[in-house]
PDB file of all heavy atoms in Angstrom:
ATOM      1  N   PRO A 368      -8.888   8.707   3.657  1.00  0.00           N
ATOM      2  CA  PRO A 368      -9.973   8.245   4.656  1.00  0.00           C
ATOM      3  C   PRO A 368     -10.520   6.838   4.209  1.00  0.00           C
ATOM      4  O   PRO A 368     -10.710   6.667   3.009  1.00  0.00           O
ATOM      5  CB  PRO A 368     -11.052   9.280   4.497  1.00  0.00           C
ATOM      6  CG  PRO A 368     -10.307  10.521   4.052  1.00  0.00           C
ATOM      7  CD  PRO A 368      -9.176  10.024   3.243  1.00  0.00           C
ATOM      8  N   ASP A 369     -10.639   5.989   5.244  1.00  0.00           N
ATOM      9  CA  ASP A 369     -11.042   4.591   4.969  1.00  0.00           C
ATOM     10  C   ASP A 369     -12.627   4.572   4.780  1.00  0.00           C
ATOM     11  O   ASP A 369     -13.303   5.349   5.306  1.00  0.00           O
ATOM     12  CB  ASP A 369     -10.573   3.685   6.081  1.00  0.00           C
ATOM     13  CG  ASP A 369     -10.871   2.144   5.821  1.00  0.00           C
ATOM     14  OD1 ASP A 369     -10.144   1.705   5.154  1.00  0.00           O
ATOM     15  OD2 ASP A 369     -11.997   1.761   6.315  1.00  0.00           O
ATOM     16  N   ALA A 472     -19.164  16.228   9.565  1.00  0.00           N
ATOM     17  CA  ALA A 472     -18.695  16.064   8.436  1.00  0.00           C
ATOM     18  C   ALA A 472     -17.150  15.882   8.454  1.00  0.00           C
ATOM     19  O   ALA A 472     -16.464  16.395   9.313  1.00  0.00           O
ATOM     20  CB  ALA A 472     -19.055  17.164   7.364  1.00  0.00           C
ATOM     21  N   LEU A 473     -16.541  15.162   7.449  1.00  0.00           N
ATOM     22  CA  LEU A 473     -15.107  14.850   7.602  1.00  0.00           C
ATOM     23  C   LEU A 473     -14.631  14.815   6.096  1.00  0.00           C
ATOM     24  O   LEU A 473     -15.252  14.399   5.213  1.00  0.00           O
ATOM     25  CB  LEU A 473     -14.937  13.470   8.102  1.00  0.00           C
ATOM     26  CG  LEU A 473     -13.518  12.742   8.255  1.00  0.00           C
ATOM     27  CD1 LEU A 473     -13.701  11.733   9.387  1.00  0.00           C
ATOM     28  CD2 LEU A 473     -13.196  11.959   6.986  1.00  0.00           C
ATOM     29  N   VAL A 633     -15.198  12.725   0.933  1.00  0.00           N
ATOM     30  CA  VAL A 633     -15.982  13.526   1.989  1.00  0.00           C
ATOM     31  C   VAL A 633     -17.041  12.654   2.582  1.00  0.00           C
ATOM     32  O   VAL A 633     -17.703  11.804   1.928  1.00  0.00           O
ATOM     33  CB  VAL A 633     -16.606  14.740   1.495  1.00  0.00           C
ATOM     34  CG1 VAL A 633     -17.439  15.557   2.474  1.00  0.00           C
ATOM     35  CG2 VAL A 633     -15.737  15.634   0.748  1.00  0.00           C
ATOM     36  N   PHE A 634     -17.084  12.591   4.024  1.00  0.00           N
ATOM     37  CA  PHE A 634     -17.949  11.742   4.641  1.00  0.00           C
ATOM     38  C   PHE A 634     -18.981  12.852   5.520  1.00  0.00           C
ATOM     39  O   PHE A 634     -18.556  13.744   5.883  1.00  0.00           O
ATOM     40  CB  PHE A 634     -17.322  10.966   5.662  1.00  0.00           C
ATOM     41  CG  PHE A 634     -16.423   9.874   5.037  1.00  0.00           C
ATOM     42  CD1 PHE A 634     -15.094  10.128   4.751  1.00  0.00           C
ATOM     43  CD2 PHE A 634     -16.978   8.604   4.899  1.00  0.00           C
ATOM     44  CE1 PHE A 634     -14.298   9.281   4.152  1.00  0.00           C
ATOM     45  CE2 PHE A 634     -16.073   7.491   4.240  1.00  0.00           C
ATOM     46  CZ  PHE A 634     -14.844   7.876   3.988  1.00  0.00           C
ATOM     47  N   PHE A 635     -20.241  12.333   5.655  1.00  0.00           N
ATOM     48  CA  PHE A 635     -21.217  13.242   6.374  1.00  0.00           C
ATOM     49  C   PHE A 635     -22.183  12.263   7.063  1.00  0.00           C
ATOM     50  O   PHE A 635     -22.519  11.162   6.503  1.00  0.00           O
ATOM     51  CB  PHE A 635     -21.807  14.053   5.324  1.00  0.00           C
ATOM     52  CG  PHE A 635     -23.201  14.809   5.897  1.00  0.00           C
ATOM     53  CD1 PHE A 635     -22.909  16.119   6.463  1.00  0.00           C
ATOM     54  CD2 PHE A 635     -24.290  14.339   6.080  1.00  0.00           C
ATOM     55  CE1 PHE A 635     -23.849  16.918   6.978  1.00  0.00           C
ATOM     56  CE2 PHE A 635     -25.359  15.018   6.634  1.00  0.00           C
ATOM     57  CZ  PHE A 635     -25.152  16.365   7.049  1.00  0.00           C
ATOM     58  N   ARG A 664     -21.193   9.221   1.675  1.00  0.00           N
ATOM     59  CA  ARG A 664     -19.711   9.316   1.332  1.00  0.00           C
ATOM     60  C   ARG A 664     -19.680   9.835  -0.135  1.00  0.00           C
ATOM     61  O   ARG A 664     -20.373   9.295  -0.996  1.00  0.00           O
ATOM     62  CB  ARG A 664     -19.093   7.992   1.373  1.00  0.00           C
ATOM     63  CG  ARG A 664     -17.673   8.100   1.158  1.00  0.00           C
ATOM     64  CD  ARG A 664     -16.976   6.684   0.960  1.00  0.00           C
ATOM     65  NE  ARG A 664     -15.561   6.881   0.876  1.00  0.00           N
ATOM     66  CZ  ARG A 664     -14.520   5.890   0.584  1.00  0.00           C
ATOM     67  NH1 ARG A 664     -15.071   4.770   0.055  1.00  0.00           N
ATOM     68  NH2 ARG A 664     -13.368   6.058   0.537  1.00  0.00           N
TER      69      ARG A 664
END
Side-chain angles (χ1 to χ4, degrees):
D369 187 80
L473 177 156
V633 182
F634 296 83
F635 176 91
R664 188 191 191 196

